[in-house]
Amino acid sequence: MIVLPLFQLRARTLSDQGLKPGLQIHGAMSVDAMHDHQPDDSPPDYDVIIIGAGPAGLAAGIYARRAGLSCVVLEKGVPGGQVMTSPLIENYPGFPEVPGMKLMDVMAEHARRYVDIREGEEVTRIRGGERFELTTTNGRMTSKAVILATGSHHRKLDVPGEEGMIGRGVSYCATCDGFFYKRKEVVVVGGGNTALTDALYLHSIDSKVTLVHRRDSFRADKHLQESISRKGIPVLWNTVVEEVLGEDAVKGVRLRDLKTDAVRVMPVNGVFVAVGEVPSNQLAAELGLSMDPGGFVQVDRSYRTNVPCVYAAGDLSGGIRQIVAAVHGGAAAALSAFEDLMNPYFKRS
């Protein structure tokens, strides 16, 4: 076995660089000794603080601690992120079928072997400088680096019946849940790239899909529009969903034509909402991170942002909104943090 010697070597090297390596362990890790030798009146100081405990944040915590960095994961709610709302996941390697909540329980339990996960602790303020200073609902803390894994949330239709039918016919991820709607009637609501991509995906797995769009033209890329036309996927233009119908499962949608004001009920088994995502980027804005027009943090291939020692991973950094991609991003961000604290690229001449 070479894992322990490598870990010890990294820890010694961190110590030589003036960085706190955290507690050395065999097997499971404890963070009880993390604050040793600190004055009682000073806030706890870490090598890296990870904000968010979805797949990206949990992976970052595992990789950061295994690299010898002292760290903590702060989560304003409970670990899991949006995955917790997925009734069944079939595309995460190693888990042919697993409820989203169960998968995140497994990930969180694994991460707790290495890192302290503080549930219900929200970061309310963050400031840069020689050290990053964070104010949370439980106090203050400082760190040399920060990994933002605050995620995003789906923009909803905000219509009656939507909230109660999430996981029972209402979905915000066609690649996650589409398999359950083979040969069933579904609608995709939206007119951008995501909506058209979702419609094409559902059509490819033999769902009977109809697009519902509130305008008279799509905002999506031309090649996607051409594919929709070529596949013969029907589109209801100038139409909005006013209500999702059903008791134990979705049975239909109430539609309104914006031009004629006519209302009708369309029987469907599934409603896929693709009207955009809203990144949780308030802390990123405080740090002055570069963002794209949609508000997602811009990162390089190593998940570095434009601010030294600040990294972003998971849905906050845009890209593919999949669990496996978030896990990759979190791991890569943690390894980048380790490399930068060892040999800061931003200080080289």
Side-chain angles (χ1 to χ4, degrees), residues 36 107 118 174 262 273:
D36 289 352
M107 281 193 187
R118 299 190 182 179
V273 180

Side-chain angles (χ1 to χ4, degrees), residues 220-288:
D221 293 341
K222 184 177 180 181
H223 73 94
L224 290 172
Q225 298 186 44
E226 292 173 346
S227 294
I228 291 293
S229 178
R230 189 167 54 250
K231 299 291 185 182
I233 296 174
V235 182
L236 299 179
W237 303 103
N238 304 299
T239 301
V240 295
V241 174
E242 287 201 324
E243 185 178 2
V244 178
L245 307 173
E247 295 182 3
D248 298 325
V250 169
K251 298 298 183 183
V253 287
R254 190 182 309 278
L255 304 173
R256 181 165 64 88
D257 187 305
L258 294 176
K259 284 193 170 182
T260 66
D261 214 33
V263 176
R264 69 184 179 97
V265 171
M266 180 179 180
V268 296
N269 304 110
V271 180
F272 290 85
V273 180
V275 293
E277 290 199 11
V278 181
S280 300
N281 59 13
Q282 296 89 340
L283 297 177
E286 284 191 40
L287 290 170

Side-chain angles (χ1 to χ4, degrees), residues 4-288:
L4 184 57
L6 282 175
F7 181 87
Q8 291 174 331
L9 176 60
R10 286 173 172 173
R12 287 198 298 271
T13 307
L14 282 171
S15 179
D16 293 341
Q17 295 288 329
L19 302 174
K20 185 167 58 177
L23 186 63
Q24 312 237 350
I25 57 105
H26 296 267
M29 287 191 179
S30 168
V31 293
D32 293 340
M34 210 174 267
H35 313 316
D36 289 352
H37 312 302
Q38 295 190 53
D40 291 340
D41 59 348
S42 65
D45 182 52
Y46 299 89
D47 293 328
V48 59
I49 292 174
I50 301 158
I51 306 175
L58 295 174
I62 292 171
Y63 274 76
R65 283 297 286 135
R66 286 181 62 85
L69 302 178
S70 62
C71 66
V72 65
V73 178
L74 305 177
E75 169 55 54
K76 67 179 181 180
V78 296
Q82 291 190 45
V83 184
M84 297 286 282
T85 64
S86 297
L88 192 65
I89 294 166
E90 297 181 309
N91 60 356
Y92 191 76
F95 292 85
E97 287 187 359
V98 59
M101 186 175 295
K102 175 62 177 178
L103 179 61
M104 295 319 302
D105 284 346
V106 172
M107 281 193 187
E109 187 61 28
H110 184 183
R112 285 191 177 96
R113 295 180 57 194
Y114 294 94
V115 63
D116 184 16
I117 302 174
R118 299 190 182 179
E119 299 181 29
E121 184 161 0
E122 181 177 4
V123 178
T124 58
R125 181 177 177 179
I126 185 168
R127 291 290 182 269
E130 185 177 348
R131 288 284 193 279
F132 294 97
E133 299 180 2
L134 286 77
T135 302
T136 78
T137 48
N138 290 346
R140 294 189 307 120
M141 58 184 67
T142 61
S143 68
K144 301 176 181 71
V146 172
I147 297 174
L148 295 177
T150 49
S152 66
H153 57 276
H154 298 287
R155 184 175 283 113
K156 297 181 179 180
L157 299 175
D158 290 327
V159 298
E162 178 185 15
E163 192 72 26
M165 289 293 109
I166 294 175
R168 293 190 289 173
V170 171
S171 173
Y172 303 88
C173 180
T175 55
C176 304
D177 303 327
F179 180 83
F180 305 111
Y181 298 89
K182 287 186 175 183
R183 294 177 291 279
K184 293 183 178 180
E185 296 280 352
V186 301
V187 292
V188 173
V189 185
N193 286 346
T194 299
L196 270 63
T197 300
D198 286 355
L200 290 167
Y201 171 76
L202 291 164
H203 177 80
S204 74
I205 61 174
D206 206 24
S207 295
K208 300 174 183 178
V209 59
T210 299
L211 271 161
V212 177
H213 187 38
R214 66 181 301 115
R215 296 182 175 88
D216 58 6
S217 62
F218 289 128
R219 295 173 288 108
D221 293 341
K222 184 177 180 181
H223 73 94
L224 290 172
Q225 298 186 44
E226 292 173 346
S227 294
I228 291 293
S229 178
R230 189 167 54 250
K231 299 291 185 182
I233 296 174
V235 182
L236 299 179
W237 303 103
N238 304 299
T239 301
V240 295
V241 174
E242 287 201 324
E243 185 178 2
V244 178
L245 307 173
E247 295 182 3
D248 298 325
V250 169
K251 298 298 183 183
V253 287
R254 190 182 309 278
L255 304 173
R256 181 165 64 88
D257 187 305
L258 294 176
K259 284 193 170 182
T260 66
D261 214 33
V263 176
R264 69 184 179 97
V265 171
M266 180 179 180
V268 296
N269 304 110
V271 180
F272 290 85
V273 180
V275 293
E277 290 199 11
V278 181
S280 300
N281 59 13
Q282 296 89 340
L283 297 177
E286 284 191 40
L287 290 170

Side-chain angles (χ1 to χ4, degrees), residues 152 173 175-176 277 296 315 318-323 325:
S152 66
C173 180
T175 55
C176 304
E277 290 199 11
F296 295 93
D315 285 359
I320 301 173
R321 317 294 204 276
Q322 293 292 305
I323 305 169

